[in-house]
Amino acid sequence: MAASKPVEAAVVAAAVPSSGSGVGGGSATTGPGTGGLPRWQLALAVGAPLLLGAGAMYLWSRQRRRRETGGRGNAGGLKRNSERKTPEGRASPAPGSGHPEGPGAHLEMNSLDRAQAAKNKGNKYFKAGKYEQAIQCYTEAISLCPTEKNVDLSTFYQNRAAAFEQLQKWKEVAQDCTKAVELNPKYVKALFRRAKAHEKLDNKKECLEDVTAVCILEGFQNQQSMLLADKVLKLLGKEKAKEKYKNREPLMPSPQFIKSYFSSFTDDIISQPMLKGEKSDEDKDKEGEALEVKENSGYLKAKQYMEEENYDKIISECSKEIDAEGKYMAEALLLRATFYLLIGNANAAKPDLDKVISLKEANVKLRANALIKRGSMYMQQQQPLLSTQDFNMAADIDPQNADVYHHRGQYRQAYTGNNSSQIQAAMKGFEEVIKKFPKCAEGYALYAQALTDQQQFGKADEMYDKCIDLEPDNATTYVHKGLLQLQWKQDLDRGLELISKAIEIDNKCDFAYETMGTIEVQRGNMEKAIDMFNKAINLAKSEMEMAHLYSLCDAAHAQTEVAKKYGLKPPTLWFSRTTLCRSKIF
């Protein structure tokens, strides 16, 4: 199917998904086509449980022991998945901030005790739902507290922010949390409350920075903060992608990608070489010169450009055939739609596909191919019912068409989940495909991905090798094989070698750049990761894909800024089986 390609805030993912553009039909070998399914398994074999989509940073969540909370320096520390709605009790003294000895000690203790008493009274009002009175008490506590008692004072500000939060006074919440964080920079509870206030105030960038700090400080162990990070990354990604995508020039994929895409169809009339009657050897003046088309046909001229790999001229030549309502109008509609999908313009492709499907007099194989491509497009747009209808209709009108079963197999693989009977059926289907079409590289690639899901790594590696033997210039296969090395053998060097080989083969392989970027995030190389993500963004084939990539890039950038601001260093992970895979992009 369309370029077969990971959401989810990649982990954080995009996850991910929006504009409905992306390649319809295509392949597991052509790689990421849309961020349709939230990158189902955007491969990042990283070390901790897979989070819900939103940027590579959240792939960091390793299985680690919970940090011990307690102690003055952890004011605001939370138990995993706990709520942060209630105010806090008395804070323990911070190291070195105990009550001073000497003549003024008694007065200072009285002042702090009175502040604590006001705070405790405020807590009672808070629990009773009397938030205005609670605010008055917390304000009194702030005014009574000695200015050198940073942690106590930060607690009072944080408690007042909690009361303002209940009254939905978001500006005041943010202001008080800022005061608390200034006094106690790693105050998790205040940082998270300020992140929520920034979300309500639509300050997405500030929200992301705060929630990123919280995630790192909590070791990515709290679901609340990770969900907020996921949410804001997706929103930022969609905003940026919408703006960039509408102003960008259409980008034709590399010749390697296009050839791999068409090779995923074995019964596609428009991708077949021109017939002898369609071209004339007499027009060839010298050895190696392209053959001239005998008929004055835009479609036949487009086919000639396909053979010459002059892909940029195909859409315009097809349009000439369609406008003239020529002999090959149905073929021209399908070929134009296919190239619209390849450049990521699904909105332009759909009317052409619709028209081919509705032409009852058209060749049945043309109509079946249009249904397969439209079904694949719907799948990438996360419209499974429409996708199923198109695949089934294609099977009804052309039951001997192998492409129907081949591409529907990708659909079933994407939606099998953990249903063992469906998984068995999908695996059997892939085995039948490679038996029936032993020269079809796409079949081996899809089967390898399915085997990887079932942790049959050795056999998956063999299938990728067969795929590479058949299509040595298919960059996406090298990326998948590289990811397999990370998941299977934790062989980082071999994995990076294969992914680098993919970029060498096809410098427009956005899947390779995205994967390399995510690996660099986990190695702690944020600047290099951001560079890789930006390269992938410029090559994205759909707005949905671009939104996902922006989420990854924003996550890496946020971590860089937080690390500088708070003197933190995100954990680096080794690649383990547990978090692997969002790599199966459809």
Side-chain angles (χ1 to χ4, degrees):
M1 306 194 169
S4 43
K5 234 178 35 163
V7 172
E8 291 47 79
V11 167
V12 222
V16 15
S18 116
S19 92
S21 42
V23 185
S27 69
T29 55
T30 48
T34 73
L37 295 177
R39 294 220 166 223
W40 214 62
Q41 309 184 324
L42 176 352
L44 296 207
V46 242
L50 182 64
L51 305 183
L52 287 176
M57 74 183 190
Y58 305 112
L59 284 173
W60 285 341
S61 38
R62 299 188 279 192
Q63 296 295 337
R64 303 184 302 182
R65 65 180 67 169
R66 297 178 186 173
R67 294 180 307 156
E68 295 182 3
T69 55
R72 177 88 170 235
N74 192 38
L78 294 173
K79 292 185 179 179
R80 184 173 180 176
N81 296 332
S82 60
E83 292 289 336
R84 299 180 174 89
K85 292 183 179 178
T86 57
E88 294 188 59
R90 178 166 185 157
S92 304
S97 65
H99 300 308
E101 300 296 331
H106 181 69
L107 288 176
E108 185 178 339
M109 286 180 66
N110 284 344
S111 178
L112 180 57
D113 286 346
R114 295 202 323 265
Q116 292 286 359
K119 188 266 318 258
N120 291 337
K121 186 177 179 182
N123 287 355
K124 290 180 182 178
Y125 279 127
F126 187 99
K127 290 173 183 175
K130 298 179 180 180
Y131 302 115
E132 294 287 2
Q133 292 94 320
I135 288 168
Q136 291 175 10
C137 292
Y138 296 141
T139 302
E140 181 183 355
I142 291 166
S143 65
L144 290 170
C145 185
T147 55
E148 67 272 17
K149 298 297 181 184
N150 287 4
V151 177
D152 293 286
L153 200 50
S154 69
T155 299
F156 303 153
Y157 275 112
Q158 198 284 141
N159 283 10
R160 191 169 71 175
F164 279 129
E165 182 180 42
Q166 296 302 311
L167 298 173
Q168 298 186 20
K169 293 186 176 182
W170 304 112
K171 186 177 179 181
E172 288 81 356
V173 173
Q175 289 172 344
D176 273 3
C177 287
T178 296
K179 286 284 189 182
V181 172
E182 286 172 355
L183 292 160
N184 185 0
K186 296 181 182 179
Y187 195 167
V188 170
K189 187 176 284 191
L191 283 165
F192 187 68
R193 183 159 275 122
R194 187 171 67 177
K196 292 189 291 182
H198 280 315
E199 181 197 10
K200 296 294 185 180
L201 294 167
D202 201 31
N203 300 329
K204 296 182 186 68
K205 184 178 177 182
E206 292 82 359
C207 175
L208 178 59
E209 185 174 304
D210 280 347
V211 77
T212 299
V214 171
C215 287
I216 295 173
L217 287 166
E218 292 181 329
F220 297 92
Q221 295 297 304
N222 191 291
Q223 190 179 24
Q224 277 188 298
S225 53
M226 291 189 295
L227 286 172
L228 179 57
D230 177 81
K231 180 180 179 182
V232 71
L233 280 166
K234 286 179 179 176
L235 290 172
L236 280 169
K238 285 180 181 179
E239 282 183 5
K240 292 182 178 182
K242 185 176 182 180
E243 184 63 28
K244 184 177 177 72
Y245 202 78
K246 71 180 181 183
N247 295 318
R248 80 166 197 170
E249 291 294 320
L251 180 66
M252 189 65 67
S254 68
Q256 293 93 335
F257 182 97
I258 293 171
K259 285 186 283 188
S260 293
Y261 173 83
F262 280 109
S263 75
S264 71
F265 296 91
T266 60
D267 217 351
D268 180 5
I269 293 175
I270 62 170
S271 64
Q272 301 304 314
M274 293 172 67
L275 301 176
K276 289 182 180 178
E278 296 172 339
K279 56 190 178 184
S280 171
D281 288 336
E282 288 76 18
D283 293 324
K284 187 166 68 170
D285 296 328
K286 60 183 180 180
E287 186 70 23
E289 185 177 340
L291 299 174
E292 294 296 326
V293 174
K294 181 183 284 187
E295 297 182 48
N296 184 20
S297 162
Y299 170 70
L300 295 181
K301 188 69 174 175
K303 289 270 289 185
Q304 180 177 318
Y305 284 137
M306 272 191 73
E307 293 187 5
E308 297 169 359
E309 297 183 13
N310 193 354
Y311 299 119
D312 289 320
K313 294 183 178 180
I314 289 174
I315 289 176
S316 61
E317 291 300 329
C318 287
S319 296
K320 292 177 184 177
E321 182 79 18
I322 294 163
D323 292 343
E325 297 184 1
K327 174 182 175 182
Y328 301 101
M329 187 171 78
E331 288 87 345
L333 283 165
L334 182 55
L335 185 58
R336 185 172 73 173
T338 302
F339 273 87
Y340 277 140
L341 289 170
L342 283 166
I343 63 173
N345 192 348
N347 291 333
K350 186 176 180 300
D352 285 357
L353 293 172
D354 293 345
K355 192 162 185 179
V356 175
I357 292 164
S358 67
L359 290 172
K360 303 299 182 185
E361 68 279 8
N363 186 309
V364 70
K365 294 203 174 294
L366 288 175
R367 295 176 60 217
N369 187 266
L371 283 162
I372 293 167
K373 288 173 180 172
R374 192 175 71 177
S376 301
M377 182 187 74
Y378 284 141
M379 182 173 66
Q380 294 161 357
Q381 295 171 356
Q382 297 185 341
Q383 300 186 63
L385 292 179
L386 291 175
S387 182
T388 301
Q389 288 173 11
D390 277 358
F391 284 129
N392 290 343
M393 191 185 305
D396 288 342
I397 67 172
D398 192 8
Q400 301 305 313
N401 190 325
D403 292 335
V404 177
Y405 308 100
H406 174 72
H407 291 278
R408 186 166 62 181
Q410 291 195 50
Y411 166 82
R412 286 175 175 169
Q413 185 187 11
Y415 287 102
T416 52
N418 293 319
N419 186 308
S420 58
S421 62
Q422 289 182 340
I423 290 170
Q424 274 189 341
M427 298 292 279
K428 186 177 179 181
F430 292 131
E431 289 168 2
E432 290 173 355
V433 166
I434 62 174
K435 184 180 293 186
K436 190 171 183 179
F437 302 100
K439 300 297 183 183
C440 178
E442 171 75 1
Y444 291 105
L446 282 171
Y447 190 30
Q449 293 179 30
L451 288 165
T452 301
D453 284 350
Q454 300 306 305
Q455 298 182 17
Q456 297 182 43
F457 301 128
K459 193 171 181 180
D461 198 44
E462 291 175 14
M463 294 301 106
Y464 282 132
D465 286 341
K466 288 182 179 179
C467 185
I468 289 171
D469 287 342
L470 289 167
E471 287 188 0
D473 292 333
N474 190 317
T476 304
T477 307
Y478 288 91
V479 181
H480 282 299
K481 184 175 169 66
L483 287 166
L484 176 64
Q485 307 313 304
L486 296 175
Q487 183 183 9
W488 178 21
K489 298 180 178 177
Q490 291 78 51
D491 189 342
L492 181 60
D493 291 339
R494 178 60 176 155
L496 290 175
E497 178 188 340
L498 287 162
I499 297 166
S500 297
K501 174 73 172 174
I503 294 172
E504 181 184 325
I505 290 170
D506 181 3
N507 63 6
K508 288 185 178 181
C509 183
D510 56 323
F511 185 27
Y513 290 119
E514 174 188 353
T515 305
M516 188 74 83
T518 311
I519 291 172
E520 294 299 345
V521 164
Q522 290 153 56
R523 298 173 75 196
N525 300 330
M526 295 299 170
E527 295 300 328
K528 188 170 182 180
I530 290 168
D531 180 55
M532 292 292 106
F533 290 140
N534 281 326
K535 286 180 178 178
I537 286 166
N538 291 328
L539 296 168
K541 297 176 183 67
S542 71
E543 185 177 324
M544 186 183 299
E545 177 80 9
M546 189 178 285
H548 169 78
L549 290 164
Y550 267 122
S551 293
L552 295 175
C553 192
D554 286 343
H557 183 74
Q559 290 176 76
T560 302
E561 294 303 307
V562 166
K564 291 177 183 175
K565 185 171 183 178
Y566 295 100
L568 301 172
K569 184 175 181 181
T572 55
L573 296 183
W574 187 243
F575 299 88
S576 77
R577 193 172 66 212
T578 349
T579 47
L580 178 78
C581 280
R582 297 177 41 104
S583 66
K584 213 144 291 131
I585 309 156
F586 290 97

